[in-house]
Amino acid sequence: MGRRLMAKASVLFVCMGNICRSPLAEGAFRVEAERLGLEVTVDSAGTGDWHRGDPPDPRAIAVARRNGVDIGGLKARQVKPDDFRTFTHIYALDHDNLRGLMRVAPPDSTAEVGLLLDLVEGHRGRAVADPYYGDDAGFDVTWSDVVLAAQALARRLAHEGWSRS
């Protein structure tokens, strides 16, 4: 539905604070979208507001950098009702955030809203690993999750015709 109203796809990744999982998903997807030549806008946000304006967690920045992606310039923000009309696709990184998104979605939402790992065959219903309270190795697991999802999403959008002409 949103595709008919917009010139290009737009994707928003959402976790709790927008400092770990969603900025990693944003970075991984930017790379994959560019690789496939997708015409897409990409952003990330959190359902909570306590990290608003903060950069990603240093461990998230480090794992992205080790994988050739720079997310250091990103700043956390909170999801807002306009996001549901601005973005064609909104993906929560876990079930709690998906429920939070559904609670704040306005009645005139045009975005497709779903769980990110539902896009990956064999991962339906799974949450992206939350590394925040763990050690650095947890960020590698999260990176692997978001890369798989970024690849699946980019392939899907390319198949749906969102590629540059």
Side-chain angles (χ1 to χ4, degrees):
M1 160 171 30
R3 169 110 193 246
R4 287 183 220 115
L5 303 173
M6 297 176 191
K8 65 180 181 176
S10 50
V11 180
L12 180 67
F13 298 100
V14 180
C15 68
M16 191 71 68
N18 192 214
I19 61 166
C20 293
R21 294 175 291 172
S22 55
L24 285 172
E26 178 182 349
F29 183 70
R30 281 183 190 279
V31 168
E32 193 61 20
E34 180 64 29
R35 188 181 75 76
L36 293 184
L38 297 177
E39 187 68 31
V40 63
T41 298
V42 186
D43 199 1
S44 59
T47 54
D49 69 350
W50 50 89
H51 291 292
R52 193 179 317 168
D54 292 345
D57 184 292
R59 298 166 296 174
I61 292 170
V63 74
R65 185 176 298 129
R66 281 195 308 274
N67 288 280
V69 179
D70 181 9
I71 63 168
L74 301 179
K75 299 289 181 206
R77 70 174 186 87
Q78 188 174 20
V79 172
K80 55 190 184 293
D82 278 350
D83 289 332
F84 293 88
R85 293 178 289 272
T86 303
F87 289 91
T88 58
H89 302 76
I90 300 176
Y91 292 105
L93 280 82
D94 63 38
H95 297 279
D96 288 339
N97 287 297
L98 181 57
R99 283 189 290 277
L101 286 170
M102 300 314 269
R103 279 193 299 271
V104 300
D108 64 343
S109 171
T110 55
E112 174 186 308
V113 180
L115 188 64
L116 183 61
L117 282 178
D118 281 357
L119 298 167
V120 180
E121 189 165 334
H123 289 72
R124 186 160 187 74
R126 276 193 45 217
V128 170
D130 185 353
Y132 186 71
Y133 292 105
D135 60 14
D136 291 356
F139 283 81
D140 290 316
V141 173
T142 300
W143 180 255
S144 294
D145 282 350
V146 298
V147 166
L148 283 174
Q151 292 168 343
L153 177 57
R155 283 191 307 269
R156 177 183 160 198
L157 293 178
H159 178 75
E160 291 175 354
W162 293 102
S163 299
R164 293 184 194 114
S165 35

